[in-house]
Amino acid sequence: MKAIIIDRPGGPASLQLREKPDLQPTPGMLTIDVAYAGVGYFEVLLSRGEFISAFPMPLTPGLEVSGYVRAIGEGVEGFYVGQPVASMTLHDLNGFASMANVRPDLTVPLDQLGADLDLATAAASIVNLTTAYLAIKDVYRMRTGDNILVHAAVGGLGSFLGQMANRLGAGKVLGTVGSAEKVKLAESLGYDELFIRSNFVERTLRATGQKGVHAVFDPVGGNMRKQSLEVLRPLGQLVVVGNASGEEDVIHSYNQIWFSNKQFAGFTLGGYSDSNPVETGKAAREALGMLARKEIHAEIQGVYPLENAAEALALLEAKNTVGKLVLQM
């Protein structure tokens, strides 16, 4: 089998393509022939060694894959050889490879969604779409008519957060982007308005009649996280879903949160899936079902061969993408 290996921190340039022994099925796991793997900003951070304490090197990156069941481990039921599936590898990683061992609880049979969903779209979507679904529905528990703001609104996660909020009954859906060129994507991604993040406080308050939003979803981090408190109305919630900026953590005063009647919540799909694998798998099936029924669409900017994985990560590192990038095996 072919696999991308990272031996040492060094950013996208540190990725190497190597041959490894074929995988064998292990008890409780599925082995799949990978067709596509999703590429996200997490892999950029991983290649820099920013999570080296949790993911020691050498390693094979990749959180999400799609393909066909190759072999079924002892004790696994409900799948058949040759079945098209999408799966979240999350803490196991190893998605940037032509074969993967995956957990059945985190694997979605694509032929059971009730509508067609191609393998590339499934691989590009399963992690971010499931994150968006759970963050809005179960973490924030959005009510019909709530106004929300999403940072990095046209990125891999943001492009789903806006659509999912719209699909689940949000009122006004606002988003921030890094360049004027991306503002034109507002309608296609479920946003009522997109604006440059440098002046998002003023623009958000103006768009909401100075009342602020009920929730902010922040995958960026840094100073934007602190500024986001300024656009929350009383009892509003800041939902932290990432730190793509790579900036140092921002310290908040709990007394300030108390006196201002603001709320904080955090959500990471990897940690949640460890303690709640069945619930995570169910959410993935429901979210991918929406995608298959075309209630939501996926933005895929490019499909790259596995040997060009470093090029895909470099493009993400430059923060010049819309939606998701995908590797083809």
Side-chain angles (χ1 to χ4, degrees):
M1 60 176 273
K2 295 180 179 180
I4 294 293
I5 304 295
I6 304 176
D7 283 321
R8 54 180 174 75
S14 63
L15 273 63
Q16 301 177 46
L17 180 64
R18 295 184 187 169
E19 290 285 341
K20 295 178 64 178
D22 285 353
L23 297 178
Q24 301 299 320
T26 57
M29 300 286 280
L30 292 164
T31 302
I32 67 171
D33 286 316
V34 177
Y36 296 92
V39 184
Y41 202 78
F42 174 80
E43 279 82 29
V44 174
L45 300 176
L46 197 66
S47 72
R48 297 175 184 167
E50 295 196 18
F51 304 114
I52 200 163
S53 60
F55 300 105
M57 297 179 180
L59 57 82
T60 293
L63 300 175
E64 55 194 338
V65 295
S66 67
Y68 299 94
V69 175
R70 176 187 180 96
I72 300 172
E74 181 182 350
V76 177
E77 299 179 351
F79 296 88
Y80 61 88
V81 172
Q83 186 174 30
V85 295
S87 188
M88 298 173 282
T89 52
L90 299 174
H91 283 310
D92 298 322
L93 302 181
N94 297 309
F96 287 12
S98 57
M99 296 174 63
N101 280 340
V102 299
R103 304 181 187 188
D105 285 342
L106 302 181
T107 300
V108 178
L110 298 181
D111 57 350
Q112 297 178 10
L113 295 177
D116 292 336
L117 183 62
D118 67 90
L119 291 169
T121 301
S125 307
I126 185 169
V127 165
N128 282 333
L129 188 56
T130 304
T131 298
Y133 179 83
L134 286 168
I136 292 171
K137 180 176 175 291
D138 291 350
V139 179
Y140 171 57
R141 299 181 181 177
M142 190 183 74
R143 296 149 300 193
T144 301
D146 279 0
N147 298 328
I148 73 164
L149 173 70
V150 177
H151 292 312
V154 303
L157 177 56
S159 61
F160 285 132
L161 281 166
Q163 294 184 78
M164 186 63 72
N166 226 321
R167 173 69 182 81
L168 296 179
K172 187 166 287 187
V173 184
L174 308 171
T176 69
V177 292
S179 67
E181 293 77 20
K182 295 178 179 180
V183 170
K184 62 186 178 183
L185 298 167
E187 186 176 354
S188 67
L189 296 177
Y191 290 97
D192 294 289
E193 190 175 353
L194 290 175
F195 31 80
I196 306 300
R197 63 175 59 106
S198 59
N199 63 346
F200 82 89
V201 172
E202 176 189 347
R203 294 290 302 273
T204 301
L205 292 174
R206 187 192 309 168
T208 58
Q210 304 302 313
K211 293 180 179 179
V213 293
H214 296 87
V216 176
F217 292 86
D218 178 24
V220 177
N223 194 52
M224 288 186 67
R225 193 160 291 169
K226 179 170 282 189
Q227 289 180 292
S228 294
L229 293 175
E230 300 177 38
V231 302
L232 282 176
R233 62 174 62 196
L235 302 186
Q237 187 176 89
L238 172 61
V239 184
V240 177
V241 287
N243 190 44
S245 68
E247 295 183 20
E248 291 293 326
D249 196 11
V250 176
I251 305 302
H252 295 280
S253 162
Y254 286 105
N255 281 342
Q256 178 192 1
I257 296 167
W258 170 33
F259 290 133
S260 62
N261 291 300
K262 306 292 173 66
Q263 303 177 47
F264 272 84
F267 181 68
T268 173
L269 189 65
Y272 182 76
S273 69
D274 276 351
S275 56
N276 298 272
V278 174
E279 292 85 348
T280 304
K282 181 181 178 182
R285 287 189 292 275
E286 292 175 356
L288 288 183
M290 292 180 182
L291 192 62
R293 295 189 298 272
K294 304 190 185 309
E295 298 168 11
I296 287 173
H297 73 275
E299 290 283 339
I300 300 178
Q301 178 166 323
V303 179
Y304 295 79
L306 180 62
E307 56 266 29
N308 289 3
E311 179 184 344
L313 259 65
L315 191 61
L316 277 173
E317 188 173 44
K319 300 183 178 178
N320 192 29
T321 61
V322 173
K324 201 70 183 278
L325 304 179
V326 177
L327 299 179
Q328 184 172 16
M329 302 305 142

